[in-house]
Amino acid sequence: MTSRVLVTGMAWDTALGAGLDDVWSALLSGASGIRPVPSAHKVRNELAAVVPDLPEDYRERQQALGLRALRSAVADAGLELSDPRLQLVVGTSYGPDLDAPDSLARWGDELGAAAGVPTVTVSTACSAGSDAVLVGAALIADGVTDICVVGGVDILTPAKRLGHSLLGTMSPTTLRAFDTARDGMLLGEGAAFLVLESAESAAHRWARVYGAVSGAGSANDAHGATAPDPSGDTVVRAMETALRSAGRDASEVAVLNAHGSGTPVNDDVESLSFRRMFKPAPDGPVVFATKGAFGHTLGATGAMEAMAVLLALRDQCVPAVPGLTEPLPDFPLRLPVHEPLAFSGAVGLSVTLGFGGFNTCLVLEAP
């Protein structure tokens, strides 16, 4: 990237709560927000992760969840929504639209209008939150704007639960990423936003800095609507592109938040991709995953996981992978089992794999 893009504010709203450090502490303690959520329709599993105190109406729920986290992130950065420099880039998968059909772009515009901020909406399936970060970082690096609020929002709806039940991607038991008994994912809902800011703007106002988005890369494998290319070629390409844009080498990566959905095909593709990517580095990064605690929050997951990487870099520690008891025997990197795992380093990656072949990698660095 042509100029340094800093993270000066962060907020999330999850099934584990909304406080930045409270939720991170809950992750480190092994807590999970997944619980039985009754369904009016027969689904493969009634376990899911829901955010409390939200409207039942789907469109209102998506709006309220997004606005709550957006306001918190801007406040965390010490800014006001009325600041004319703010630009919003927001991602979602289907949001409420499978159950209450409308335009996803209109939902993003409505969120921006409610906040009083101009908006760009991104919808690239489960990579939408990551791609929102990518777009916002590019806007700042290229000098288009000084401050972007970027992130993702997605809610749990009956159509999503039915769809993943019919696809067979939903676990009939529980989510256990990279475990020998992995058998699928469990859905969740949530919102997460990061405030990205040029180094000059942050320095001018003496902003607190959580870290930097130093690189990003994306690649589409065009393999299928719901399954990734088993070769892992485009996952590797996304990581290589991101590291190249950051001026970093794979050997410098200390921590990696994996997509970690718990589906056999995704876990296998990630395992192969990481083996290919980090083979030249004898001491590869520690890998963690959070979907077993948050549920798979679809369009929000990339933003939530970028925040988790920044917090891991801050504390030099990652939480255990929820549900993981027996790691895949051929998994190439270290995984935290049962308890947090310490590491040392200043560079981290966040990798997301979305339906439709949308693969994105973010490079995040400690301040």
Side-chain angles (χ1 to χ4, degrees):
M1 289 188 172
T2 56
S3 63
R4 190 162 169 79
V5 179
L6 304 179
V7 180
T8 57
M10 299 196 298
W12 48 20
D13 207 331
T14 79
L16 283 176
L20 185 65
D21 286 310
D22 290 342
V23 172
W24 181 241
S25 294
L27 287 172
L28 290 171
S29 73
S32 173
I34 295 173
R35 60 177 177 80
V37 180
S39 171
H41 312 282
K42 185 176 181 181
V43 292
R44 200 176 192 203
N45 195 329
E46 288 200 340
L47 292 176
V50 296
V51 177
D53 303 322
L54 289 172
E56 292 297 322
D57 177 84
Y58 303 128
R59 300 200 70 78
E60 292 177 7
R61 189 178 189 88
Q62 177 94 356
Q63 183 86 333
L65 181 58
L67 196 56
R68 217 159 65 177
L70 171 59
R71 285 171 172 160
S72 295
V74 172
D76 185 63
L79 295 166
E80 301 285 343
L81 282 170
S82 58
D83 191 320
R85 297 173 297 168
L86 297 188
Q87 168 70 56
L88 174 63
V89 184
V90 61
T92 192
S93 63
Y94 280 106
D97 281 29
L98 290 175
D99 302 78
D102 202 340
S103 163
L104 286 174
R106 183 177 298 116
W107 165 77
D109 289 343
E110 290 172 351
L111 178 65
V117 181
T119 307
V120 174
T121 304
V122 178
S123 184
T124 49
C126 306
S127 285
S130 295
D131 286 334
V133 178
L134 180 155
V135 170
L139 290 173
I140 293 173
D142 291 342
V144 176
T145 186
D146 279 329
I147 306 175
C148 274
V149 187
V150 300
V153 188
D154 238 320
I155 58 170
L156 183 72
T157 72
K160 291 173 185 174
R161 300 179 81 182
L162 287 168
H164 283 282
S165 293
L166 292 171
L167 285 170
T169 48
M170 183 182 290
S171 169
T173 58
T174 193
L175 199 163
R176 45 173 79 85
F178 306 121
D179 193 276
T180 55
R182 71 209 185 283
D183 59 7
M185 56 85 116
L186 294 171
L187 286 167
E189 62 183 0
F193 286 96
L194 302 88
V195 177
L196 306 186
E197 192 165 355
S198 68
E200 294 78 11
S201 174
H204 180 73
R205 65 184 192 89
W206 296 90
R208 173 194 51 200
V209 175
Y210 287 105
V213 180
S214 59
S218 64
N220 190 295
D221 59 39
H223 178 75
T226 59
D229 176 2
S231 74
D233 284 349
T234 49
V235 180
V236 172
R237 186 173 299 126
M239 290 189 287
E240 288 176 339
T241 301
L243 286 168
R244 186 164 55 249
S245 72
R248 294 294 188 181
D249 184 81
S251 63
E252 297 177 87
V253 179
V255 62
L256 190 160
N257 186 282
H259 192 65
S261 66
T263 63
V265 64
N266 268 28
D267 282 7
D268 288 350
V269 168
E270 285 199 276
S271 178
L272 174 60
S273 301
F274 299 156
R275 184 181 306 112
R276 290 174 56 185
M277 187 71 197
F278 295 102
K279 185 176 179 180
D283 299 316
V286 58
V287 176
F288 74 115
T290 59
K291 288 183 176 65
F294 291 138
H296 191 341
T297 58
L298 305 176
T301 192
M304 294 171 73
E305 291 169 358
M307 288 175 56
V309 171
L310 288 168
L311 293 170
L313 288 169
R314 181 193 70 182
D315 294 349
Q316 297 287 282
C317 181
V318 297
V321 178
L324 176 61
T325 58
E326 188 175 342
L328 295 171
D330 58 348
F331 194 82
L333 300 171
R334 292 173 294 158
L335 286 163
V337 183
H338 299 308
E339 60 186 10
L341 180 62
F343 68 91
S344 177
V347 179
L349 300 185
S350 177
V351 175
T352 50
L353 280 61
F355 275 5
F358 292 103
N359 305 312
T360 301
C361 176
L362 303 174
V363 183
L364 302 133
E365 300 194 25

